[in-house]
Amino acid sequence: MLEMNLPGSRMQVRNARVEADMFRARAVIGFLLIVICLGTLVSRYVFLQVYRGTEFSETSDKQRISVRSVAPSRGLIYDRNGVLLADNVAAFRLEIVPEAVEGGRKGMEHLLAELGDVVAISTDDVEHFRNARAKKKAFESVPLRLKLSEDEIARFSVNRWRFPGVEVVPYLTRAYPLGPLFAHAIGYVGRIDLNELVKLDPNLYAGATHIGKTGVERWYEDELHGAPGSETVEVGADGRVRRKLDYVSPTPGKNLYLSIDARLQRATEEALGARLGAAVAIDPRNGEVLALVSEPDFDGNLFVNGIAQADYAQLMQDPRKPLLNRAIAGGFIPGSTIKPYAAAAGLELGVRTPSDTVVSTGEYHIPGQARGYRDDFPAGRVDLKLALAWSVNTYFYSLAYEMGIDRFSGFLGKFGFGAKTGIDVAGEAAGVLPSAEWLRATRNQPWYAGYTVNVGFGQGFWVVTPIQLAHALTVVAAKGANRPPHVLRATQAGIGAPVQPVPLPMPGPNVGTHAGTWKAIEEGMWLAVNGPPPSTVSGLGKEFPYAIAGKTGTAERFSRFDETWTSIATSSADRHQVLFECFTPTEDPRIAVVVALEAGHSGASDAAPIARKILDAWLKYDDDAPAPRVAEATQ
Amino acid sequence: MMLAFEQLGPRLRLLARRWLRAPALDWPLALALVLLAGIGLVNLYSAGGPDTKVALNQGARFVLGAMLMVLLARVSPQSLRKWTPWLYAGSVFLLLVVAVLGEGRGAHRWLDLKVFRFQPSELSKLTMPMMAAWVLSRGELPPKFSSLAIVGALIAVPAWLIAKQPDLGTALLVVAGGMFAIFLAGMAWWRIGLVLATAAAASPFAWHFMHDYQKKRLFTFLDPAADRLGDGWHIMQSEIAVGSGGLWGKGWQHGTQSALEFLPEHTTDFAFAVFSEEWGLIGVVAVILIYIFIVGRGLMIAATARDTYSRLLAGSISMSFFVYVMVNGGMVAGILPVVGVPMPLISYGGTSVVALLAGFGMLMSIHNHRRPAH
């Protein structure tokens, strides 16, 4: 206290000590406050790292790990001898990373316009691009143009610097090495469109761009497609892949082995030539389709990577309808080809015996009616055999009339007319099996007896497809056994995997129970080919090692009761739909062939020679072995 | 080299020999700094990813900073004190120059001296505590209102200039540097209370003077999810980085947040987030303990200082060091808004490292010229 009053140095010393003490107190307080603050800070880290650690860990993983689908490679398609019919080949496509395109929406428009000068880009391409882009992130590559030509790749490479964000990317694309030959049977794949997209299983089709559109490609889509694999990747904040973490390879689609023989298919196509029509060959022992041809055809390869507008317009506007698969969806009036089945109905239902005869005067009258039904010539008294061999209409007029429409169409339904055969090629049509019920249901009209007479020889309301007729023919050839036609013979889980035979489709109910039925029909059809004129196709079986049984059909495309018949400018060669059906060898048939042409003079003159050419070709390729898959099916 | 050495005057030669023989440093403090710098480099090597330049550059800055520290450790506090007003005036002058001529992205902070570029505001971080200590040590303690007012004005000038750049983080550090000197000088508790209360009451008005981007940052801080893709992204990704580190961390170079660029500014402002992710809570606690040790050691040096100026300067530098850690650590952990304050010796940044180590050089000098033990 005293020192307080002392001047000079002592006071400064005193002050210095007080100051130092005060400083020390303040320093301690400050330090404690700092420790408290930093303790609070650490407690925040404890909260984040321990209390919420797992949660943040998951968040961190979720934003860096991304699982992407890897599209499987599509199954290949082979013929019965291992000839490749549908392949996957390497191609190049143009892809755009939208994010890398400068100038936003306008920049993209500009880019697309500029790109169009270098490679051809259709409005279709742009539309597909827009749709695909809407579903992807900005940094993900979106395909714009598929299957670039070498010229286009070269041109793009030179101009590459003009197009940031655009790249040429390799990919696998579908290719059909035999082109038009299998365009109808195998069909084609195309880009998945919006309608398909909503129906598809998003898990199965993740990353997929194509889908089977028609034919076998469509029917066996599930088998051919396979299952996608996945790729687990680490992505950066920008979404780009930095590292692969895991890879589950996709399960490739199954390879399919068809029963069709590409060589016979080729011969069939050549035999048909430029005629509009279809031809089908089936092994009656098991229902395996050996050839399935529809003319005119087109190149399925055009459709795979987006068909050019001009090509598509041409196919659509072509009056010959090249896109129509006439073999399974072409509607033909069967004409006299229906007679063997009508005969079977008569025999089985007890309306006729093989030896019963009918007199043909050249014109048939329903008892009590004035209207006459024409026969080609007055054949006189004929039994079933001659009626089939000479195609005597009167025999079948009276048969149908006596049987009545209900029994007639009821029995012919057993052969599969009026319903899809169920062949494993997409796009089949059902045709029309005329019946009183059908007429009432579809046109609300009553049935007249005259209709029955007409229907009895394959005219009036009838619509059959070549595959239906061929199937019915195999029933006759196989003596009543009902083997559904089909094209898939075996599958393979991948290249190198064992080829697994596919069981035969479930057989339909046997048609007919009387052994004599089939023998009588077969004899009549044999005589048609091998008898002297007026047998319809006399001489067709000449110099063929096996006995052939066959039946012609010449159906009138134009009604002779109205103006059209007399006014048509076309020659008689165009007036008819002409058909021929045959099988061989008669004792144990191994092939049944149906040829149907949209226009021709007669079944005998136009369709039958084509069928003979097909049989000649078949001889070269037939190995004479018992049908292998019959045994398997009965096991 | 030897020739030049021989040409020096005998006195200088003696001085130089002594310097080279024993660099007079406070070894506990120096070792803690070296340890921290080492951790910083190791972390930057990982945070920089494939770009090792970041770690190498930082290493070069450490060497430069260490040289400056050793040099300053030799300069007596008396000399520092003598030069203080001039240094302070110089730094304010440079701030004015920057305000007129400066460059830098977004904010005018840099002065291009052709040879190297530096931020005058970093210089203020050193001159501010020096000036405050200078003023306060001249008058009686506890300080009277007049000297408090003078110091307040001296703080306000550079703080205002820096805040206008705008660099709120550095302004905050400059203010803290001056305030800690006042606090340690023994400013009366009621006055401290009054200042704090005034500051709290004035904060709504401060809002009025804030830049739009600063307001936005504050909003974002309060609700990061509202700006998920913008500034909120920084905060959320930083929290994810820290949190996903867990107790033990993901391991050195195994952090994903920075490597995959989810975390922005992962070598500078958010370098500590990378560290937290890779080393976990264990690493965080260890580093915070080192920081506490450095602050504590600095205050001990201050307590043993020879005079008031040295004491206040050393204490202020030590306590300012804490502000860096608190602001950056709080920002990384999402409890403080995003302001550009680096984590000392861990964040990448040249000027800041050199300025920090220069500050510790003055601490070393004060230690070297401490009051002899009784």
Side-chain angles (χ1 to χ4, degrees):
Chain A
M1 282 294 171
L2 280 171
E3 288 165 347
M4 285 278 280
N5 297 324
L6 293 172
S9 62
R10 296 192 66 153
M11 169 134 165
Q12 275 177 356
V13 169
R14 168 72 183 141
N15 277 357
R17 194 178 297 159
V18 171
E19 278 174 26
D21 287 347
M22 187 166 60
F23 177 87
R24 206 165 288 149
R26 283 291 166 104
V28 168
I29 293 168
F31 184 69
L32 285 177
L33 285 174
I34 285 171
V35 170
I36 289 167
C37 282
L38 291 180
T40 313
L41 184 64
V42 167
S43 72
R44 170 67 180 177
Y45 280 80
V46 172
F47 172 73
L48 289 179
Q49 300 191 293
V50 179
Y51 182 69
R52 292 181 66 189
T54 331
E55 177 196 331
F56 279 119
S57 203
E58 280 165 13
T59 313
S60 161
D61 283 348
K62 210 158 70 188
Q63 67 180 5
R64 80 184 169 92
I65 292 170
S66 158
V67 181
R68 291 160 188 217
S69 298
V70 181
S73 65
R74 197 171 176 84
L76 305 179
I77 304 176
Y78 299 96
D79 89 335
R80 68 186 295 124
N81 300 311
V83 174
L84 192 55
L85 307 179
D87 193 7
N88 299 323
V89 298
F92 292 90
R93 65 185 175 204
L94 212 54
E95 291 193 357
I96 299 184
V97 180
E99 182 194 61
V101 176
E102 292 154 9
R105 181 183 286 268
K106 268 195 169 166
M108 181 64 82
E109 295 294 324
H110 184 69
L111 178 88
L112 291 178
E114 293 263 292
L115 260 180
D117 297 340
V118 179
V119 295
I121 294 167
S122 69
T123 49
D124 212 33
D125 290 329
V126 175
E127 198 191 310
H128 274 281
F129 172 74
R130 295 234 161 89
N131 290 337
R133 194 190 154 186
K135 281 179 224 66
K136 290 192 171 183
K137 300 203 180 84
F139 56 79
E140 284 180 316
S141 203
V142 184
L144 172 66
R145 233 309 292 284
L146 302 175
K147 193 112 195 231
L148 296 169
S149 70
E150 278 180 30
D151 267 4
E152 285 175 319
I153 294 171
R155 238 176 302 144
F156 176 77
S157 303
V158 173
N159 289 283
R160 217 197 124 83
W161 57 274
R162 287 167 57 196
F163 308 113
V166 185
E167 272 178 282
V168 172
V169 178
Y171 72 109
L172 282 182
T173 186
R174 200 64 155 172
Y176 304 106
L178 300 183
L181 183 57
F182 279 90
H184 288 296
I186 286 180
Y188 52 84
V189 298
R191 285 193 284 208
I192 296 171
D193 63 36
L194 280 179
N195 296 331
E196 287 160 339
L197 201 60
V198 293
K199 291 181 204 137
L200 292 174
D201 177 354
N203 294 322
L204 215 50
Y205 279 82
T209 54
H210 282 68
I211 190 169
K213 298 277 184 181
T214 62
V216 169
E217 291 271 32
R218 170 67 170 273
W219 188 276
Y220 287 111
E221 172 61 26
D222 292 349
E223 282 77 3
L224 288 166
H225 180 68
S230 68
E231 189 183 43
T232 308
V233 292
E234 189 174 65
V235 296
D238 53 5
R240 278 176 228 287
V241 175
R242 303 296 166 92
R243 190 153 70 99
K244 259 189 205 174
L245 299 176
D246 192 21
Y247 183 80
V248 178
S249 38
T251 311
K254 282 184 185 164
N255 296 335
L256 305 185
Y257 285 82
L258 304 188
S259 58
I260 296 176
D261 186 328
R263 300 168 300 182
L264 190 64
Q265 179 89 351
R266 172 74 71 195
T268 305
E269 185 197 43
E270 281 166 4
L272 275 172
R275 310 285 299 249
L276 270 60
V280 177
I282 301 183
D283 185 338
R285 296 170 299 179
N286 49 25
E288 285 180 356
V289 174
L290 303 174
L292 188 82
V293 175
S294 173
E295 285 292 329
D297 49 27
F298 60 95
D299 189 352
N301 289 306
L302 288 176
F303 285 84
V304 177
N305 291 294
I307 186 165
Q309 204 65 44
D311 289 338
Y312 191 63
Q314 196 189 341
L315 285 173
M316 288 301 283
Q317 286 161 14
D318 190 334
R320 303 178 309 142
K321 296 187 183 167
L323 293 178
L324 173 65
N325 186 353
R326 289 169 167 81
I328 59 169
F332 289 84
I333 306 163
S336 302
T337 53
I338 216 72
K339 286 173 182 167
Y341 317 109
L347 297 176
E348 283 292 319
L349 297 174
V351 180
R352 287 274 195 285
T353 66
S355 52
D356 286 348
T357 57
V358 169
V359 176
S360 161
T361 60
E363 199 170 66
Y364 172 77
H365 293 273
I366 295 173
Q369 286 191 12
R371 182 179 161 183
Y373 294 86
R374 187 186 58 91
D375 216 334
D376 287 333
F377 63 101
R381 185 167 290 279
V382 294
D383 62 1
L384 175 66
K385 205 163 135 182
L386 283 178
L388 281 172
W390 297 349
S391 199
V392 180
N393 292 348
T394 303
Y395 184 95
F396 292 94
Y397 290 146
S398 66
L399 175 61
Y401 178 73
E402 286 164 41
M403 209 184 300
I405 186 63
D406 291 344
R407 287 205 288 171
F408 179 88
S409 53
F411 198 89
L412 264 73
K414 291 185 182 184
F415 286 99
F417 292 111
K420 292 180 182 180
T421 64
I423 186 173
D424 43 357
V425 177
E428 193 184 1
V432 176
L433 168 61
S435 69
E437 205 181 328
W438 171 83
L439 192 64
R440 206 179 313 112
T442 57
R443 301 191 191 173
N444 197 25
Q445 284 175 11
W447 188 269
Y448 297 108
Y451 296 163
T452 310
V453 174
N454 247 334
V455 161
F457 85 127
Q459 292 278 156
F461 308 129
W462 268 106
V463 178
V464 302
T465 62
I467 189 69
Q468 275 178 339
L469 198 56
H471 171 230
L473 183 64
T474 62
V475 174
V476 172
K479 299 176 174 56
N482 190 343
R483 298 277 188 205
H486 61 278
V487 297
L488 183 64
R489 208 159 176 255
T491 61
Q492 188 182 26
I495 307 268
V499 176
Q500 299 281 351
V502 171
L504 287 172
M506 277 292 291
N510 263 34
V511 181
T513 47
H514 301 59
T517 302
W518 309 115
K519 185 156 171 45
I521 295 169
E522 182 213 297
E523 281 174 6
M525 290 175 74
W526 176 85
L527 197 62
V529 176
N530 298 286
S535 282
T536 46
V537 278
S538 177
L540 189 76
K542 222 181 256 175
E543 284 167 27
F544 196 78
Y546 307 122
I548 300 171
K551 183 73 201 78
T552 55
T554 305
E556 291 176 355
R557 297 167 74 191
F558 305 98
S559 168
R560 67 174 66 209
F561 301 109
D562 65 22
E563 303 278 304
T564 348
W565 176 256
T566 45
S567 66
I568 48 171
T570 50
S571 70
S572 74
D574 288 331
R575 278 189 196 138
H576 304 111
Q577 286 192 343
V578 298
L579 303 95
F580 186 68
E581 56 188 345
C582 63
F583 58 86
T584 194
T586 46
E587 60 276 14
D588 182 19
R590 295 206 292 276
I591 184 169
V593 172
V594 165
V595 175
L597 304 176
E598 284 192 356
H601 179 71
S602 73
S605 64
D606 296 59
I610 291 172
R612 173 65 198 262
K613 281 183 196 164
I614 295 169
L615 290 183
D616 286 342
W618 168 77
L619 270 186
K620 283 185 269 174
Y621 311 134
D622 175 50
D623 52 11
D624 205 6
R629 284 171 74 228
V630 173
E632 287 152 19
T634 51
Q635 268 171 8
Chain B
M1 181 75 190
M2 281 308 290
L3 208 91
F5 194 72
E6 291 303 325
Q7 279 169 350
L8 290 169
R11 242 187 99 215
L12 268 176
R13 194 161 56 198
L14 199 72
L15 203 68
R17 276 204 187 129
R18 215 171 63 198
W19 274 33
L20 288 175
R21 201 165 47 236
L25 298 172
D26 177 39
W27 288 109
L29 183 57
L31 281 175
L33 290 173
V34 167
L35 185 60
L36 207 50
I39 291 171
L41 284 179
V42 164
N43 186 54
L44 276 185
Y45 184 82
S46 175
D51 187 11
T52 50
K53 246 182 16 203
V54 175
L56 284 174
N57 277 349
Q58 184 80 339
R61 264 84 180 242
F62 278 145
V63 172
L64 195 72
M67 281 161 63
L68 195 62
M69 183 172 81
V70 171
L71 202 72
L72 277 170
R74 293 286 173 183
V75 178
S76 74
Q78 281 75 24
S79 312
L80 287 175
R81 185 179 178 178
K82 209 170 4 176
W83 286 99
T84 293
W86 299 106
L87 286 169
Y88 174 82
S91 70
V92 171
F93 173 72
L94 286 177
L95 284 175
L96 284 169
V97 171
V98 166
V100 180
L101 303 172
E103 54 186 70
R105 32 173 197 171
H108 293 298
R109 296 177 188 174
W110 296 86
L111 203 57
D112 195 346
L113 299 180
K114 299 301 168 198
V115 189
F116 65 97
R117 304 189 324 155
F118 85 116
Q119 298 183 27
S121 52
E122 293 289 340
L123 192 60
S124 291
K125 284 188 202 167
L126 292 174
T127 57
M128 191 64 246
M130 287 169 85
M131 191 64 197
W134 187 83
V135 172
L136 291 167
S137 65
R138 284 171 66 89
E140 270 182 55
L141 293 186
K144 292 207 176 78
F145 178 77
S146 56
S147 48
L148 285 179
I150 293 169
V151 175
L154 290 172
I155 293 172
V157 173
W160 171 254
L161 285 171
I162 295 168
K164 256 185 76 97
Q165 284 180 350
D167 185 355
L168 228 50
T170 308
L172 180 75
L173 285 165
V174 168
V175 170
M179 293 300 229
F180 284 136
I182 296 174
F183 170 78
L184 290 169
M187 180 185 187
W189 286 110
W190 67 269
R191 281 189 166 139
I192 294 175
L194 198 66
V195 168
L196 289 178
T198 314
S203 56
F205 297 99
W207 177 256
H208 189 69
F209 292 100
M210 278 165 86
H211 283 263
D212 280 346
Y213 90 96
Q214 288 164 338
K215 289 181 187 173
K216 206 175 136 211
R217 269 190 191 177
L218 210 60
F219 275 132
T220 305
F221 163 67
L222 294 172
D223 183 14
D227 191 16
R228 205 173 280 281
L229 295 174
D231 292 341
W233 173 265
H234 293 219
I235 297 170
M236 289 186 355
Q237 292 301 337
S238 182
E239 280 189 26
I240 292 170
V242 171
S244 66
L247 185 58
W248 301 102
K250 293 180 182 171
W252 185 55
Q253 289 198 319
H254 284 86
T256 55
Q257 287 289 101
S258 67
L260 302 174
E261 280 156 32
F262 286 102
L263 191 64
E265 307 289 337
H266 47 259
T267 58
T268 53
D269 284 358
F270 289 95
F272 192 61
V274 177
F275 179 82
S276 307
E277 186 188 9
E278 296 189 349
W279 300 89
L281 185 64
I282 302 297
V284 170
V285 169
V287 165
I288 297 289
L289 283 177
I290 296 173
Y291 282 130
I292 289 177
F293 173 81
I294 290 172
V295 173
R297 183 69 196 170
L299 286 172
M300 277 171 71
I301 288 171
T304 58
R306 185 183 289 268
D307 55 32
T308 309
Y309 171 79
S310 307
R311 211 154 40 217
L312 293 181
L313 176 58
S316 174
I317 288 174
S318 305
M319 287 184 75
S320 298
F321 189 69
F322 145 78
V323 177
Y324 283 89
V325 178
M326 191 67 203
V327 172
N328 185 278
M331 171 187 82
V332 163
I335 46 171
L336 289 177
V338 177
V339 282
V341 172
M343 193 56 124
L345 304 189
I346 285 183
S347 289
Y348 176 74
T351 327
S352 144
V353 163
V354 174
L356 269 167
L357 290 176
F360 283 109
M362 292 195 261
L363 264 178
M364 301 281 185
S365 154
I366 290 163
H367 174 70
N368 287 340
H369 302 84
R370 64 186 171 275
R371 208 168 53 220
H374 294 293

